[in-house]
Every structure is written in C-alpha cells, then in structure tokens.
Amino acid sequence: MTSDDPRPPPRRSLFGALGPNELKGLFWQVLVVGIAVAVIVFLWSNTVTNLSARRITTGFAFLGREASMPIADSLLAYNPRDSYLWAFVVGVANTLRVAVIGIVLATILGTLIGVSRLSANWLLSRLAAVYVELLRDIPLLLQLLFWYVLMQALPAARAAWRPVEGVFLSNRGLILPAVPLGIAQFGVLGTAVLGFVAFLVIRRWLVSRQMRDGKPRSAWPFALGLIIVLPAAVSLLLGASWTIEWPELRGFNFVGGLTLAPEYFALLVALVTYTSAFIAEIVRSGIQSVPRGQWDAASALGLRRSFMLRQIILPQALRVIVPPMTSQYLNLTKNSSLAVAIGYQDVVSVANTTLNQTGQAIEVISLIMAVFLTISLGISFFMNWYNARIALAER
C-alpha cells in the first residue's frame, strides 16, 4: 500500500501486538486483581451483615456527640463536654507533640553519640558504644515503664529537685519557666519563620549569582533584617509581651511556667533515648562510608577536625544517612502509641476510650489508621524530597 492509497490502514486487534508471554502476564494480573476485589467485597459484605444482625449502627455520626472523657494533659484547650471529634483532634495534637519534639531531640542526641563512637578519645568512644548496645537490646516498653516508675519515685512537689534556678523536677513532672503564648506571640513567631524561609531563598540566589560572576555577596544583612528586625517590628506593632513566667510552689502544686506531666516526660525520654541509639549507628556508618582520602586531603590542608567533619565529611555522609534515618523517624512516630501503657492520652488512648464508650470499633480503628498513615506519608514525603535534593547529580 503506497502513501497515496486512499484506503484506511487495517485495524489491529487490541491484543494483536501482544505476544504469548505478554498475554500470559496480562491474564495473571487480571486474575490477581479480580481475586483481591472479590476478597474485599466478601469481607465488606460479611461485616455489614454481622453488624446488621447485632443491630450495631455504622457511620461517623458519633463524632458529634459529647465525649464525656477527661484528658488530663492536652496541648489544646479541652473540656469533657466537647465532642468526640474535638477529643480526637486533641489526641492527634498530643501524638504530634511527642513525635515532632522526639524526632528533633533523637536526631541531635543520636548524631552526637554516633560521632562520639568514632572519637579518638578511648573513654568517650567506649561510653558511646555501651549506650548504643545497652539501649538497643532492651525492649522499648520496658524502658518506657522504667522511666515512668522512676518519675513516680521522685520526691513530692514540696521537696522537688531544683537542678537550675526556676526548674523543678518532682513526681508532678518537669516544671520549666515559660513565656505565655497568645495570638500576638504566634504572629511574631510566624513572621520569624517566614523571614527565615525568605532568607534561605535569598541566600541561594546570592550564591547562584556568585557562581556566575565570581563576586562574593554578604547575606548577613538580609538575615538581620528578615529574622531579627522584621519580627521585632511586628512584635512592637502587635504589642506582644515576652515576659518570662517563673513557676512557684503554692500549696501542694506549682503555679505558672510550663509543666511536662510525668507521663509525657517519661514517654519522651524513652522514645528519644531508644531511637537515638539506632540513629547513632546510622550516623557512624554514614561517616565511615566516606572515603579515607577525604579525611587525608582535609588533614593535608591543615583543617581543624571539627571543621572537617562539619563541612566535608557530614555533607557527603548524608547521602547514606538520610534513607535509613527516615525509617527511624517513622518508628518513633508509631512507637508513640505505647503511651497507652502509662496513661498518656495520645490519639490511640483517646480512640480506645471512644471505642469503649460508643462501640464503633471499625470507625475508630479506621481513624487511627488514617492518622498514622497520614503522618507517616508526610514524614516519608519530606525525607524523600530532602534525599533527592542532596543526591549526587549524574553526569
């Protein structure tokens, strides 16, 4: 058939271009998907039938009812007369309160211990090794119970330990000086965060210009203006007060300051120390993955060991450190559900109470799964983005 032939080209069958192997593979894929869909439909139908037979209502309408459950330690304002939905939100906030702070502290502590394991100081490296081996080999639940029992064994409020002026440690928890935060204070802090982000963008732009023309440009005036001067101006405009509130003992309890309840403090310490032991090994292996020639070249230039580690070794080790570090962040977040063992009311504890009061097992469990899935996907997305950003570019 020539190009001038007015007849349309012959139609090919949908499966005409597929060979025997492709058809066989397509058949098995369709079969597996069909079986999976059939299993899901059967389970759903069986569940609905059993619920109907037991006259158990389904749906999320119960979230609008009054919760009537106390939450002793909450980041957000809560009253037992609030709805189950708000109680669930408070539980999520308590989980994030543990996970976010725990990830930051575990990263800092794990990095310091991982670097200490490679120290030339024999005593420091041995102590770091004992820390890692001891905490990794003891189950987290036992460590959590140990810290909680230890908190309960502390003296009463009247005989509280005072390691630093204004800081108290007792069986009521850890009490710290704090600045009361309101709308004005949050506005100033938000301005500082936005200023810091703008500074990072400007600094990157200045570095790109320097790479083009070779002229260095100072970034500190932008940092001064965006991170210090601008928030200070917003603080004056909003009339934000930054007076420190010092805790003091009145009667049998403390008034003022920031109180970290024994349950929260024990959970945070257990998660941080346990996870930091694994992070330390990740950091140690990442540093050891950098070729020895990098150390020798930096030493030949007369660079200090601290500068060498900070500017040369760690940036290269991050490409090995970040992927397994993501798993540890996810583990810490999911391990926070052990809070139910010591009475800290995170999202799992609140959900368990809701389940017992309403009997909506499927809905409550699906909400817990959705919360942890969302948090885990958020952490994974951010860490994958950061890992792609620091990855070596292929030539």
Side-chain angles (χ1 to χ4, degrees):
M1 184 184 297
T2 63
S3 60
D4 297 333
D5 194 340
R7 291 179 298 174
R11 294 183 179 180
R12 291 188 176 182
S13 173
L14 178 62
F15 303 104
L18 298 179
N21 292 333
E22 288 81 1
L23 285 174
K24 185 178 180 180
L26 181 61
F27 168 77
W28 284 110
Q29 293 178 42
V30 172
L31 181 62
V32 170
V33 172
I35 293 174
V37 171
V39 170
I40 294 174
V41 170
F42 170 76
L43 292 176
W44 176 259
S45 176
N46 188 54
T47 301
V48 172
T49 302
N50 290 332
L51 290 176
S52 299
R54 290 166 176 79
R55 297 182 180 180
I56 299 177
T57 59
T58 58
F60 294 91
F62 71 95
L63 292 175
R65 302 205 303 261
E66 182 179 309
S68 301
M69 76 171 76
I71 299 181
D73 185 18
S74 60
L75 183 64
L76 304 176
Y78 174 78
N79 189 288
R81 292 189 297 271
D82 292 331
S83 64
Y84 282 113
L85 177 60
W86 183 246
F88 198 81
V89 171
V90 171
V92 173
N94 284 350
T95 295
L96 292 175
R97 180 188 178 195
V98 173
V100 174
I101 298 177
I103 286 173
V104 174
L105 295 180
T107 302
I108 297 173
L109 181 60
T111 301
L112 293 176
I113 295 173
V115 173
S116 299
R117 287 211 64 184
L118 301 174
S119 173
N121 187 310
W122 183 87
L123 179 60
L124 181 61
S125 63
R126 294 286 79 77
L127 288 176
V130 170
Y131 177 93
V132 170
E133 296 302 329
L134 180 65
L135 292 180
R136 286 200 311 171
D137 294 337
I138 299 178
L140 176 57
L141 181 59
L142 291 181
Q143 296 187 38
L144 177 59
L145 295 175
F146 167 79
W147 287 109
Y148 182 66
V149 171
L150 188 63
M151 289 295 298
Q152 297 299 318
L154 291 175
R158 286 183 174 274
W161 295 345
R162 187 182 297 183
V164 183
E165 184 64 30
V167 177
F168 299 90
L169 185 62
S170 69
N171 58 9
R172 298 297 180 93
L174 179 65
I175 296 89
L176 306 169
V179 176
L181 297 179
I183 297 178
Q185 287 80 4
F186 278 114
V188 175
L189 293 176
T191 303
V193 172
L194 293 176
F196 179 73
V197 173
F199 166 70
L200 293 179
V201 174
I202 292 174
R203 188 181 68 171
R204 188 172 182 178
W205 175 70
L206 292 176
V207 171
S208 65
R209 290 195 62 184
Q210 181 179 349
M211 296 297 292
R212 288 197 301 267
D213 56 24
K215 296 180 181 180
R217 294 171 174 84
S218 298
W220 69 264
F222 296 98
L224 181 64
L226 293 172
I227 303 177
I228 298 178
V229 176
L230 181 59
V234 174
S235 179
L236 291 175
L237 182 64
L238 298 179
S241 175
W242 299 98
T243 304
I244 298 178
E245 188 179 69
W246 295 89
E248 58 178 330
L249 181 63
R250 292 183 184 176
F252 296 97
N253 206 349
F254 292 94
V255 176
L258 175 65
T259 300
L260 303 181
E263 296 80 9
Y264 173 78
F265 188 66
L267 176 64
L268 184 64
V269 172
L271 289 175
V272 168
T273 53
Y274 180 76
T275 308
S276 64
F278 291 90
I279 292 178
E281 286 298 275
I282 294 172
V283 172
R284 180 186 64 83
S285 61
I287 292 175
Q288 290 182 326
S289 70
V290 178
R292 183 65 193 177
Q294 298 290 321
W295 292 91
D296 296 338
S299 299
L301 293 174
L303 300 177
R304 298 190 308 273
R305 185 176 177 85
S306 59
F307 180 87
M308 189 190 315
L309 184 65
R310 187 175 64 254
Q311 299 293 337
I312 299 175
I313 304 302
L314 278 179
Q316 299 181 66
L318 279 177
R319 299 177 179 91
V320 178
I321 291 173
V322 169
M325 192 83 81
T326 304
S327 298
Q328 294 306 316
Y329 291 166
L330 296 175
N331 288 338
L332 187 147
T333 302
K334 291 180 287 188
N335 287 336
S336 66
S337 61
L338 292 174
V340 69
I342 59 173
Y344 178 71
Q345 291 173 291
D346 68 333
V347 64
V348 176
S349 178
V350 172
N352 284 339
T353 305
T354 302
L355 190 153
N356 292 331
Q357 291 180 352
T358 64
Q360 308 289 148
I362 297 178
E363 293 83 354
V364 170
I365 293 175
S366 64
L367 286 175
I368 299 176
M369 294 171 61
V371 167
F372 279 103
L373 180 62
T374 302
I375 297 174
S376 298
L377 289 178
I379 294 174
S380 299
F381 176 80
F382 174 78
M383 295 301 292
N384 289 336
W385 168 81
Y386 182 70
N387 187 43
R389 190 168 179 264
I390 65 174
L392 288 173
E394 298 291 341
R395 297 187 177 219

